[in-house]
């Protein structure tokens, strides 16, 4: 039985549990900052299993908001969560540098996105470009908590 505090805060996940969770989940909320203004968007991602998360930017707004924030954000964070009930949930936060990939990195990113992104068919059909709209988060810090989910 879980104590009241443990059911509220959960137990700390190990790095391997966090990695497995990120591979299983394939989507989360990416948070960026431009000119001191935060911007969080739900995005699907591919994960290499240890340190690199890949995001494809598809679609656009007239203001190119995603691109503007991505260009100006040196450090970003991703929150992935899975809530089954009040007594069964997991969450992980990954923080690190954020850069646009080169055309040479596209095939590796495409493979990882196909393996574990949410709805990868929407993302991997994007044609390779000289300057792909794909970004990589280099994980510098990872943390995670879980309650009632093994």
């Amino acid at each position: 039985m879980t104590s009241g505090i443990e059911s509220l805060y959960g137990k700390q996940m190990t790095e391997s549990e966090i990695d497995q969770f990120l591979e299983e989940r394939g989507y989360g909320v990416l948070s960026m900052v431009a000119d001191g203004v935060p911007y969080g968007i739900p995005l699907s991602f591919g994960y290499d299993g240890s340190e690199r998360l890949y995001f494809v930017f598809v679609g656009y707004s007239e203001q190119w908001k995603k691109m503007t924030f991505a260009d100006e954000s040196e450090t970003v964070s991703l929150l992935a969560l899975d809530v089954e009930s009040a007594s069964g949930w997991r969450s992980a936060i990954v923080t690190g540098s954020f850069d646009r990939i080169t055309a040479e990195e596209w095939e590796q990113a495409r493979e990882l996105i196909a393996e574990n992104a949410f709805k990868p068919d929407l993302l991997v059909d994007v044609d390779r470009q000289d300057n792909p709209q794909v970004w990589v988060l280099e994980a510098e810090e990872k943390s995670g908590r879980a309650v009632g989910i093994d």
Side-chain angles (χ1 to χ4, degrees):
M1 186 164 177
T2 306
S3 73
I5 293 296
E6 187 177 321
S7 66
L8 180 62
Y9 295 115
K11 70 172 182 69
Q12 187 169 340
M13 295 166 61
T14 65
E15 187 166 344
S16 64
E17 289 172 327
I18 293 168
D19 291 337
Q20 181 180 356
F21 174 61
L22 292 170
E23 284 183 291
E24 291 170 5
R25 202 76 198 134
Y27 67 91
V29 176
L30 180 68
S31 296
M32 303 176 280
V33 175
D35 294 326
V37 177
Y39 180 55
I41 53 173
L43 284 175
S44 188
F45 61 85
Y47 185 51
D48 73 356
S50 65
E51 61 189 36
R52 299 184 86 171
L53 294 92
Y54 293 93
F55 303 86
V56 177
F57 288 1
V58 293
Y60 68 93
S61 66
E62 290 180 24
Q63 300 84 15
W64 292 91
K65 196 168 186 175
K66 282 186 277 194
M67 293 301 296
T68 299
F69 275 79
D71 282 336
E72 294 187 26
S73 297
E74 292 180 23
T75 301
V76 300
S77 69
L78 173 87
L79 167 65
L81 64 126
D82 178 22
V83 179
E84 293 178 1
S85 69
S87 59
W89 55 266
R90 295 180 291 180
S91 67
I93 298 173
V94 180
T95 304
S97 62
F98 199 55
D99 293 299
R100 196 176 203 170
I101 70 165
T102 64
E104 293 77 34
E105 296 173 285
W106 172 232
E107 285 308 315
Q108 178 186 8
R110 181 190 294 250
E111 288 175 20
L112 292 169
I113 289 166
E115 286 178 20
N116 64 353
F118 178 73
K119 298 267 190 180
D121 51 324
L122 298 176
L123 305 175
V124 295
D125 291 337
V126 175
D127 290 329
R128 179 182 167 198
Q129 304 166 11
D130 289 336
N131 198 6
Q133 302 292 316
V134 181
W135 295 77
V136 60
L137 188 170
E138 295 279 352
E140 295 165 8
E141 185 178 330
K142 294 185 274 188
S143 63
R145 300 197 76 74
V147 166
I149 298 177
D150 296 321

